[in-house]
Amino acid sequence: MCVSDMKQLWALLFLSCLCTGLFTKAHSGKPKVVKIGSIFSFDSVIGKVAKIAIDEAVKDVNSNPDILSGTKFSVSMQNSNCSGFMGMVEALRFMEKDIVGIIGPQCSVVAHMISHMANELRVPLLSFAVTDPVMSPLQFPYFIRTTQSDLYQMDAIASIVDFYGWKEVIAVFVDDDFGRNGVAALNDKLASRRLRITYKAGLHPDTAVNKNEIMNMLIKIMLLQPRIIVIHVYSELGFAVFKEAKYLGMMGNGYVWIATDWLSTNLDSSSPLSPERLETIQGVLVLRPHTPDSSLKREFFKRWRKVSGASLALNTYALYAYDSVMLLARGLDKFFKDGGNISFSNHSMLNTLGKSGNLNLEAMTVFDGGETLLKDILGTCMVGLTGQLQFTQDRSRTRPAYDIINVAGTGVRQIGYWSNHSGLSTVLPELLYTKEQPNMSSGTTSQKLRHVIWPGETFTKPRGWVFSNNGKELKIGVPRRVSYKEFVSQIRGTENMFKGFCIDVFTAAVNLLPYAVPVKFIPYGNGKENPSYTHMVEMITTGNFDGVVGDVAIVTNRTKIVDFTQPYAASGLVVVAPFKKLNSGAWAFLRPFNRLMWAVTGCCFLFVGIVVWILEHRTNDEFRGPPKRQCVTILWFSFSTMFFAHRENTVSTLGRLVLIIWLFVVLIINSSYTASLTSILTVQQLSSPIKGIESLRERDDPIGYQVGSFAESYLRNELNISESRLVPLGTPEAYAKALKDGPSKGGVAAIVDERPYVELFLSSNCAYRIVGQEFTKSGWGFAFPRDSPLAIDLSTAILELAENGDLQRIHDKWLMKNACTLENAELESDRLHLKSFWGLFLICGVACLLALFLYFVQIIRQLYKKPSDDAIAREQQQNHDSSSMRSTRLQRFLSLMDEKEESKHESKKRKIDGSMNDTSGSTRSRGFDRERSFNSVNPLD
């Protein structure tokens, strides 16, 4: 019964159900046969093996009682020939047969066409060969990719390019959805690593390859600088490109060819490849989707030899086709187990259109269970011939990985693997997934590949770029200077010839390169004033220059737009100012210390003298007496310690401690003073009111700078110096005149410029000197476009020049001038400041304060421990008014401090003297008594 008759019958049943009140949506129960379709190109390399693999998968499903038990698969295959139109026609034919799923399509063009139809009719598409990364699940929800997306393949290629240190590639692609979208993904992955595609060469996708078109395209590539070529095309077109490249000599030394999986598919399916084709692809790197080794895979390989008759070898896409059928079968099995039914309904819009024409659109039906089946397929997790088959949230296969192979000799060599988990490695990706290894895509430090046999049968890694052999010279911008021509200057009477220190360094570095660099110097500037170096560097970004050679400072804003070589000359901003000679004079002895140092030192002498007097006053007679005498003693003792000539002895422990520390401080001060004064009297001194950039900022005097230098922007933007203070100067003569005139006569107080210019200026102008330190650190380099390989090679050459001494010899040739005769003259060094001695003063001050604290603690203890009888009497006679009490205590405290206290030595001496007096007194008494007795008995008395 035809489909239209069936639909009429169902319509009659529907009307009868309305009349009787009995209505049924669809029949229940599992069908005996489930129809599926398959669309691919039968005659393609992938299609030939896919047809056999799909048939074998259907046989396995129908023979397996665990899958769809009681239900058989029936597959219909249609040939799309990778044509969007034919694919659409065949898909329309499928939709009339009530199929529940489609295996395919194979080509991106067909996938884009029929995915819209699948969305409307809710039929899942399981594509085993469409790698187009643009097929988004948001736009095409019923499209399921069972292979790996080109998004990962291009990430693997970008990792290889980055691993070998190449910066630019050329992309050859087929100009359709497959090729354009793949190259777009490659461009994004390269850009994330600061790499780029220099040139994109699109080829017509027609199978009838145009030899002239390929030849013209390859000739254009030969004229370009990069030598890394990524080819992303179809099989026949790819081999045609390699054939012509071989003819043009592009398969030899210096070239690198990286082919996507189209080539590995041919190598696997046509093994061995014909000698003619194999000869044209020697040294090519090829990517192949990685499928883990398993017992299922090995058994299928044995089985393949039988079913294919050994006439067609198995490739990776045959395994993907087989797994696609198995995935659909398992999804249907879950669909039926969950109570799903196979039912179809008419599309309302198609019914309306079908009545108005003869297209029979009403025959296409909507699969009612399509959305449920889609979820069951995406939720299935199985292990197939291609490994674990499971989908991420964005419907990509988990654990994407690629084999990296190298065509060499009569076969291929496995040089490594790539996976989005571990990056490049020589270890199988499935082994690395068992380890907690981080993603290595952001760097190449842990990446590894085996040795490659490159085109030309060499193991030496190609540089990846050369200067094109079309006679085109590099346009090198050179500043046309009007001052300091020793660095760079245009030879008089010539248009593109220059000389100078910078030119000689560049020429010497280029001569060390292992390849020729044709250059053409282009002058920049009007010749009347120095040009703006920043504007000259910016012309590299606009394409006016291929590089800039000259005295170009490497500063931050320039490094953001261009790449610089290794610095070949040190540079930095310094301050140049006039100076005057300082004679010794009558007051030269005051110059070692500044005013603050003199004041603090004098105060410290007085302070220490007062502290020692306080500590010694009660116990040392030398520190007692009338007030006038005590004041003189303090002053004498204080300043005599400067020469260690004090004659007063200290008897208290605290006094001696303070004196020892102070004498140490005096020793250091004396030594420093003597050294500084000796330098002042014996070495010629130069003085300048400007000490460096900080003192220059604090003043309001005008500041000079060189025209065209970055010093102006630095002073204005970084140091916030008013533009009104900045004076442009163009020549060394203008420098000298402005410094000589000074601010009072319209000149400048100082000049800020780069050190190389300043050193050259000072070699012939001895009246000026560099003051302060260099306050910026930079260098001079040659500028090139971002990621330019020439900048890297020249940096290596500059280092070699520095190591072998050639760089110094070039410097001496141009910049070694006769120095000024004042060789021994130097700018006035800073005087001795307080900051150099504050630590010593701090130690001394702390010792003094600590000694005073301990001393007053002893006084207070004596004040409360042993009050005098007179004080007690006075206290009892006074009223108890608080102010009287405080006055009384203060008088007692002062009297106690002024009271003479015997030292231990005096106390001991007094005791000895007292005992001697007692002995002599008793002797005199006994003698007097004897005398009295004698006198009493004396008869004469």
Side-chain angles (χ1 to χ4, degrees):
M1 184 180 292
C2 66
V3 176
S4 60
D5 293 338
M6 286 293 297
K7 291 188 178 294
Q8 292 176 1
L9 178 61
W10 279 109
L12 292 174
L13 290 174
F14 176 73
L15 293 175
S16 64
C17 290
L18 290 177
C19 297
T20 59
L22 300 173
F23 177 73
T24 305
K25 292 184 178 180
H27 61 77
S28 60
K30 290 174 59 177
K32 295 296 183 180
V33 177
V34 175
K35 298 178 181 179
I36 64 172
S38 182
I39 300 178
F40 53 91
S41 181
F42 289 173
D43 296 331
S44 65
V45 176
I46 295 177
K48 291 176 182 179
V49 295
K51 186 176 185 301
I52 300 174
I54 292 173
D55 286 335
E56 293 302 310
V58 170
K59 292 178 183 178
D60 290 346
V61 170
N62 293 335
S63 62
N64 191 341
D66 296 331
I67 304 176
L68 296 176
S69 58
T71 300
K72 299 297 183 181
F73 253 9
S74 175
V75 60
S76 298
M77 298 185 186
Q78 300 293 342
N79 184 11
S80 67
N81 200 27
C82 279
S83 168
F85 174 75
M86 291 302 301
M88 180 181 64
V89 172
E90 298 299 340
L92 289 173
R93 294 176 61 184
F94 274 143
M95 298 309 175
E96 296 178 353
K97 299 179 181 179
D98 294 340
I99 61 173
V100 298
I102 296 178
I103 305 299
Q106 172 188 336
C107 302
S108 298
V109 177
V110 180
H112 281 276
M113 294 292 294
I114 70 174
S115 291
H116 294 285
M117 190 182 303
N119 291 346
E120 294 295 330
L121 302 181
R122 302 176 190 171
V123 177
L125 298 176
L126 284 77
S127 176
F128 57 88
V130 174
T131 59
D132 186 352
V134 175
M135 299 296 295
S136 167
L138 297 177
Q139 184 180 7
F140 307 111
Y142 283 85
F143 177 83
I144 303 173
R145 193 197 319 269
T146 58
T147 184
Q148 297 181 22
S149 170
D150 273 342
L151 194 67
Y152 298 110
Q153 181 169 211
M154 299 308 170
D155 197 1
I157 293 176
S159 297
I160 294 173
V161 174
D162 192 26
F163 173 76
Y164 287 110
W166 300 317
K167 298 297 182 181
E168 298 177 346
V169 303
I170 295 173
V172 177
F173 63 98
V174 58
D175 196 5
D176 62 3
D177 292 336
F178 163 74
R180 286 191 300 269
N181 296 334
V183 170
L186 175 62
N187 187 68
D188 293 340
K189 295 300 181 180
L190 289 172
S192 66
R193 294 167 171 81
R194 290 192 62 185
L195 314 174
R196 67 190 183 104
I197 299 177
T198 302
Y199 180 71
K200 299 177 183 178
L203 294 172
H204 197 278
D206 192 357
T207 53
V209 178
N210 190 326
K211 178 180 177 180
N212 292 332
E213 180 185 357
I214 296 176
M215 186 71 73
N216 293 334
M217 180 267 297
L218 291 176
I219 291 175
K220 289 181 181 179
I221 292 177
M222 290 179 64
L223 300 179
L224 299 176
Q225 180 173 290
R227 286 295 181 261
I228 313 300
I229 304 172
V230 177
I231 179 167
H232 184 54
V233 294
Y234 299 128
S235 301
E236 294 302 321
L237 187 58
F239 284 115
V241 171
F242 280 124
K243 180 179 178 181
E244 301 304 325
K246 177 72 174 177
Y247 174 78
L248 294 174
M250 298 177 67
M251 301 303 299
N253 288 337
Y255 283 90
V256 175
W257 290 83
I258 303 176
T260 52
D261 56 8
W262 68 268
L263 182 54
S264 61
T265 301
N266 280 269
L267 290 171
D268 293 339
S269 300
S270 305
S271 181
L273 202 64
S274 64
E276 294 79 10
R277 286 190 167 180
L278 194 61
E279 182 66 22
T280 63
I281 59 174
Q282 290 295 307
V284 177
L285 293 181
V286 190
L287 271 72
R288 175 174 59 197
H290 176 74
T291 54
D293 187 27
S294 64
S295 57
L296 289 174
K297 182 178 175 181
R298 290 192 294 269
E299 291 175 3
F300 189 77
F301 265 89
K302 294 178 182 179
R303 179 179 166 188
W304 182 266
R305 296 188 183 96
K306 297 178 182 179
V307 298
S308 65
S311 60
L312 190 63
L314 185 64
N315 62 43
T316 306
Y317 285 102
L319 305 180
Y320 284 127
Y322 181 94
D323 282 353
S324 298
V325 177
M326 300 301 295
L327 178 64
L328 179 58
R330 292 184 181 276
L332 279 169
D333 185 59
K334 186 175 186 301
F335 174 78
F336 289 136
K337 289 180 179 179
D338 292 342
N341 295 319
I342 302 296
S343 62
F344 297 88
S345 61
N346 291 330
H347 197 287
S348 59
M349 294 182 64
L350 291 179
N351 287 337
T352 303
L353 295 174
K355 294 177 181 179
S356 61
N358 298 323
L359 295 178
N360 197 29
L361 296 176
E362 66 274 9
M364 291 188 294
T365 55
V366 178
F367 179 28
D368 296 330
E371 185 174 356
T372 304
L373 177 59
L374 177 67
K375 293 179 180 178
D376 291 336
I377 293 173
L378 294 174
T380 300
C381 180
M382 56 171 279
V383 178
L385 299 180
T386 58
Q388 183 176 351
L389 182 52
Q390 187 178 1
F391 297 99
T392 61
Q393 292 183 351
D394 61 353
R395 297 192 185 179
S396 298
R397 287 195 58 160
T398 58
R399 300 184 176 183
Y402 284 88
D403 300 336
I404 304 174
I405 58 180
N406 177 213
V407 181
T410 58
V412 296
R413 301 170 58 248
Q414 184 87 35
I415 64 169
Y417 307 91
W418 177 92
S419 73
N420 69 332
H421 172 70
S422 57
L424 299 174
S425 175
T426 56
V427 182
L428 288 169
E430 53 266 28
L431 298 179
L432 294 176
Y433 274 109
T434 61
K435 303 176 182 179
E436 293 297 328
Q437 182 161 336
N439 195 314
M440 299 297 180
S441 61
S442 59
T444 60
T445 54
S446 301
Q447 311 293 278
K448 186 178 181 182
L449 291 175
R450 298 185 182 95
H451 292 296
V452 178
I453 301 178
W454 303 101
E457 299 182 357
T458 176
F459 285 96
T460 303
K461 184 197 78 171
R463 188 171 60 250
W465 70 280
V466 295
F467 283 100
S468 54
N469 57 1
N470 62 348
K472 180 182 177 182
E473 298 174 320
L474 289 181
K475 297 178 294 184
I476 302 298
V478 182
R480 185 183 291 174
R481 295 193 59 88
V482 297
S483 62
Y484 298 111
K485 293 186 176 183
E486 291 85 351
F487 295 106
V488 57
S489 64
Q490 188 174 12
I491 298 177
R492 182 175 298 180
T494 63
E495 183 68 24
N496 304 110
M497 297 181 66
F498 289 82
K499 64 179 181 179
F501 169 69
C502 303
I503 300 299
D504 280 6
V505 173
F506 177 75
T507 303
V510 168
N511 291 337
L512 291 177
L513 298 179
Y515 49 87
V517 181
V519 298
K520 179 181 180 181
F521 292 137
I522 300 177
Y524 179 77
N526 55 20
K528 298 179 180 179
E529 63 178 7
N530 294 332
S532 171
Y533 281 52
T534 300
H535 294 164
M536 182 171 59
V537 171
E538 289 175 351
M539 293 186 70
I540 296 177
T541 62
T542 60
N544 296 87
F545 293 146
D546 297 319
V548 169
V549 171
D551 46 340
V552 183
I554 304 173
V555 293
T556 304
N557 63 332
R558 296 173 185 172
T559 58
K560 293 179 180 178
I561 58 176
V562 297
D563 281 350
F564 282 92
T565 62
Q566 173 80 13
Y568 62 88
S571 179
L573 294 179
V574 293
V575 178
V576 180
F579 66 92
K580 62 179 180 179
K581 301 176 183 178
L582 292 180
N583 299 320
S584 57
W587 303 99
F589 67 90
L590 295 176
R591 284 168 51 190
F593 292 164
N594 62 1
R595 294 179 181 179
L596 180 60
M597 182 65 183
W598 278 117
V600 172
T601 303
C603 292
C604 285
F605 274 107
L606 291 175
F607 176 70
V608 171
I610 293 172
V611 170
V612 173
W613 175 82
I614 293 174
L615 298 176
E616 295 290 324
H617 178 66
R618 300 185 64 214
T619 59
N620 194 338
D621 289 336
E622 294 183 356
F623 289 87
R624 298 183 63 83
K628 182 178 180 180
R629 178 186 174 188
Q630 295 185 47
C631 291
V632 173
T633 301
I634 292 174
L635 293 174
W636 165 255
F637 180 83
S638 299
F639 292 100
S640 62
T641 55
M642 180 185 299
F643 311 101
F644 307 98
H646 54 285
R647 61 188 181 186
E648 292 79 9
N649 295 321
T650 53
V651 296
S652 66
T653 303
L654 295 176
R656 291 174 176 176
L657 175 64
V658 170
L659 185 59
I660 289 174
I661 295 175
W662 173 242
L663 291 178
F664 174 74
V665 174
V666 170
L667 175 64
I668 300 300
I669 293 176
N670 277 341
S671 302
S672 302
Y673 176 86
T674 303
S676 180
L677 183 60
T678 302
S679 175
I680 290 173
L681 296 178
T682 57
V683 179
Q684 186 176 18
Q685 299 293 304
L686 306 178
S687 175
S688 173
I690 299 172
K691 305 303 180 184
I693 188 63
E694 292 301 326
S695 63
L696 188 60
R697 289 179 61 187
E698 296 171 356
R699 301 161 64 97
D700 294 329
D701 296 331
I703 304 172
Y705 68 90
Q706 183 181 176
V707 176
S709 172
F710 77 97
E712 177 192 8
S713 60
Y714 184 87
L715 294 173
R716 187 177 63 252
N717 300 329
E718 302 296 332
L719 301 182
N720 298 320
I721 295 177
S722 175
E723 189 173 359
S724 61
R725 295 180 56 192
L726 303 180
V727 179
L729 301 172
T731 62
E733 293 75 15
Y735 278 26
K737 185 179 184 304
L739 289 172
K740 181 180 180 181
D741 292 344
S744 60
K745 297 182 180 180
V748 297
I751 293 175
V752 175
D753 203 352
E754 297 177 66
R755 179 175 285 276
Y757 302 122
V758 170
E759 290 177 347
L760 194 59
F761 170 72
L762 295 180
S763 65
S764 57
N765 292 271
C766 300
Y768 314 103
R769 285 292 183 272
I770 295 176
V771 294
Q773 300 295 322
E774 185 176 299
F775 55 94
T776 64
K777 296 293 184 181
S778 62
W780 288 352
F782 306 129
F784 293 94
R786 295 296 297 270
D787 302 321
S788 171
L790 184 58
I792 299 175
D793 291 349
L794 280 177
S795 295
T796 304
I798 290 172
L799 290 175
E800 186 175 348
L801 288 175
E803 291 173 358
N804 61 25
D806 288 343
L807 187 61
Q808 184 62 42
R809 282 188 285 271
I810 297 173
H811 176 275
D812 296 342
K813 170 186 174 182
W814 288 98
L815 306 180
M816 183 63 71
K817 302 294 182 180
N818 294 328
C820 295
T821 56
L822 300 177
E823 294 294 339
N824 295 328
E826 60 181 30
L827 281 177
E828 176 191 9
S829 60
D830 291 338
R831 290 180 172 183
L832 297 177
H833 292 273
L834 178 62
K835 63 183 180 182
S836 303
F837 300 93
W838 73 268
L840 292 173
F841 288 133
L842 177 64
I843 294 173
C844 182
V846 170
C848 292
L849 294 176
L850 181 61
L852 288 176
F853 174 76
L854 296 176
Y855 176 76
F856 286 127
V857 168
Q858 295 175 0
I859 295 296
I860 293 173
R861 289 181 60 187
Q862 293 180 16
L863 179 66
Y864 286 96
K865 187 175 182 181
K866 297 180 179 181
S868 64
D869 295 337
D870 295 340
I872 294 175
R874 286 195 303 269
E875 223 173 63
Q876 291 176 351
Q877 293 175 2
Q878 297 289 341
N879 56 30
H880 296 283
D881 182 74
S882 58
S883 61
S884 301
M885 292 289 291
R886 286 193 297 269
S887 177
T888 303
R889 292 176 181 174
L890 180 60
Q891 292 176 4
R892 290 175 53 196
F893 177 76
L894 294 176
S895 63
L896 185 61
M897 286 189 60
D898 190 57
E899 184 180 283
K900 177 69 170 69
E901 179 183 5
E902 294 182 349
S903 64
K904 294 180 179 180
H905 176 72
E906 292 176 341
S907 177
K908 183 177 180 180
K909 181 178 179 181
R910 184 179 58 80
K911 290 180 180 180
I912 294 174
D913 292 343
S915 61
M916 291 178 64
N917 291 335
D918 291 342
T919 305
S920 60
S922 60
T923 304
R924 288 195 300 268
S925 177
R926 287 194 297 272
F928 179 72
D929 292 339
R930 285 194 299 270
E931 184 177 356
R932 289 181 61 186
S933 300
F934 177 76
N935 291 337
S936 62
V937 296
N938 192 343
L940 296 177
D941 195 23

